[in-house]
Amino acid sequence: MLRQLHCVTTLALLALLALSASAARYSTYGTLQTINSSGVMNVVINNIHSSINLFDDHMQSDLANLIETLQANDTDIRVVVFSSGNPEFFIGHLDVNSVLPGYLESSYFIETESALPIFDLGNPNLTFLEALLWNITELPQATIAVVEGLETSLGLNPGAGGAMYVSQLIGRGCAFEYMLASKDIDAATAESYGWINRAFQTSEELKEYVRELAARIALFPRAGIVGTKQGINAVSRPPLDVLIRDAQNVIGVLERTPEAQALATRFITATNNQSIGELELNYGADLESLFK
Ligand SMILES: *[C@@H]1O[C@H](CO)[C@@H](O)[C@H](O)[C@H]1NC(C)=O
Ligand SMILES: *[C@@H]1O[C@H](CO)[C@@H](O)[C@H](O)[C@H]1NC(C)=O
Ligand SMILES: *[C@@H]1O[C@H](CO)[C@@H](O)[C@H](O)[C@H]1NC(C)=O
Ligand SMILES: *[C@@H]1O[C@H](CO)[C@@H](O)[C@H](O)[C@H]1NC(C)=O
Ligand SMILES: *[C@@H]1O[C@H](CO)[C@@H](O)[C@H](O)[C@H]1NC(C)=O
């Protein structure tokens, strides 16, 4: 068992080296490890700059580079499986520092010229983050998320289309309940609502199921996967102009309110700048303390 694990890690490192050797549009930070096998790319998300797998600029930069590789028509990858290398979190949450004033001026990146653009280069009406997530839905590959661990909410609105995708999955009533109250949900309940496709008792069952699913999808020709995704996207994804209006509202109005700024600042303090600890691990249960 251990030997097998060691083997996989070594291969992943090699793949990481191969990816970073090719010219990347954005700086690379080593937060994603990839390994390809028979048309399937396994991506392990492991943000070495954060104890909670924070969705920060490092991770966004690496994801944007990965997406660019996958958009190229010469790849034979047909399925992309995202899993986490962090035992507690799939992806913690968006870096709350990015909604605070001063973020733009901060020396978050050592080389300032490598900072991510706020708006997308391809469509300046979308934020970089929204374009990144939209581009994942547009990929010519099927994408699967292996979620083991927490995904915490923030008490801000679930932006970049989050609330819209969730309404489509769980329906209007449950979306109001979970989005407005920012409630935790366990895997079995999430499965019964259609929020996730399937819940498993053990990590082994989950991995085996996804391995078989990915291998089966990868049997099919690229054009079939692309066409099927287009059809499903056409009726189940928020339209781009709705996302654009949402971006303007979030960036232009919500993030700038004194309440949002105060809450974000309190959150950074209470989580010791988003480090693993009581609040990040039990956010759903403990969030009331932030609002008192
Ligand atoms: C995995 O596939 C991607 C996309 O085609 C490619 O850029 C990358 O070099 C491949 N990695 C390895 C290790 O073959
Ligand atoms: C890949 O092919 C599609 C369809 O022909 C085209 O729209 C797209 O621009 C191509 N992507 C790249 C990166 O060349
Ligand atoms: C999204 O994809 C488009 C090309 O379709 C590209 O111009 C843009 O830079 C990409 N944005 C991100 C954030 O990946
Ligand atoms: C961005 O929005 C402006 C104003 O609404 C519009 O004129 C422009 O065509 C949009 N650009 C893109 C690339 O969608
Ligand atoms: C939190 O961490 C970020 C990234 O390292 C840093 O830019 C920021 O100044 C830190 N904030 C506080 C309050 O320590």
Side-chain angles (χ1 to χ4, degrees):
M1 186 64 194
L2 261 182
R3 176 173 302 173
Q4 212 181 345
L5 201 67
H6 182 66
C7 233
V8 170
T9 312
T10 311
L11 281 172
L13 275 177
L14 283 177
L16 177 65
L17 288 177
L19 261 185
S20 52
S22 62
R25 186 188 321 202
Y26 302 103
S27 301
T28 53
Y29 295 97
T31 66
L32 306 175
Q33 288 147 24
T34 69
I35 177 168
N36 306 341
S37 153
S38 311
V40 177
M41 178 190 273
N42 285 289
V43 183
V44 178
I45 306 168
N46 193 6
N47 190 345
I48 50 179
H49 310 278
S50 157
S51 55
I52 61 161
N53 239 0
L54 195 63
F55 194 42
D56 61 4
D57 284 7
H58 301 113
M59 200 193 284
Q60 290 182 35
S61 190
D62 287 345
L63 258 180
N65 288 329
L66 178 72
I67 286 165
E68 202 174 9
T69 314
L70 291 167
Q71 283 172 335
N73 286 323
D74 62 358
T75 168
D76 65 354
I77 302 293
R78 290 188 291 289
V79 182
V80 186
V81 177
F82 292 96
S83 62
S84 165
N86 183 307
E88 303 284 353
F89 290 87
F90 177 64
I91 289 178
H93 48 71
L94 186 69
D95 185 357
V96 176
N97 288 296
S98 69
V99 309
L100 290 175
Y103 164 75
L104 291 179
E105 300 78 37
S106 78
S107 54
Y108 196 82
F109 285 85
I110 293 150
E111 317 126 286
T112 43
E113 71 273 15
S114 71
L116 295 177
I118 298 291
F119 294 97
D120 184 46
L121 302 174
N123 181 348
N125 286 339
L126 285 179
T127 63
F128 185 86
L129 174 63
E130 280 176 317
L132 187 65
L133 299 176
W134 179 264
N135 281 359
I136 294 177
T137 72
E138 289 275 281
L139 283 178
Q141 294 85 13
T143 55
I144 301 174
V146 179
V147 182
E148 284 186 281
L150 302 170
E151 284 192 287
T152 54
S153 72
L154 281 174
L156 300 172
N157 82 320
M164 300 174 216
Y165 286 105
V166 164
S167 318
Q168 185 72 34
L169 288 171
I170 69 176
R172 183 176 161 85
C174 286
F176 276 130
E177 179 179 343
Y178 280 88
M179 297 301 101
L180 291 177
S182 191
K183 280 169 56 172
D184 274 350
I185 190 164
D186 61 76
T189 313
E191 180 193 52
S192 73
Y193 287 177
W195 197 328
I196 58 168
N197 284 15
R198 202 178 279 260
F200 298 87
Q201 292 296 329
T202 66
S203 180
E204 286 68 33
E205 286 174 81
L206 163 66
K207 284 177 183 141
E208 181 55 18
Y209 183 85
V210 171
R211 198 190 57 72
E212 279 176 21
L213 176 65
R216 188 178 165 100
I217 297 173
L219 292 174
F220 294 99
R222 181 187 172 90
I225 294 173
V226 170
T228 304
K229 280 190 70 173
Q230 273 171 359
I232 295 171
N233 275 341
V235 296
S236 63
R237 200 171 50 165
L240 206 46
D241 60 321
V242 173
L243 271 183
I244 288 171
R245 278 201 301 278
D246 186 61
Q248 287 160 352
N249 189 36
V250 171
I251 299 267
V253 184
L254 282 177
E255 276 186 11
R256 287 165 202 262
T257 61
E259 291 92 337
Q261 293 294 323
L263 182 61
T265 306
R266 241 180 301 157
F267 182 80
I268 296 287
T269 308
T271 57
N272 190 19
N273 207 359
Q274 307 172 110
S275 303
I276 195 157
E278 174 66 19
L279 188 57
E280 288 283 8
L281 286 168
N282 302 295
Y283 188 68
D286 291 356
L287 100 174
E288 283 178 38
S289 64
L290 262 191
F291 292 83
K292 279 176 187 156

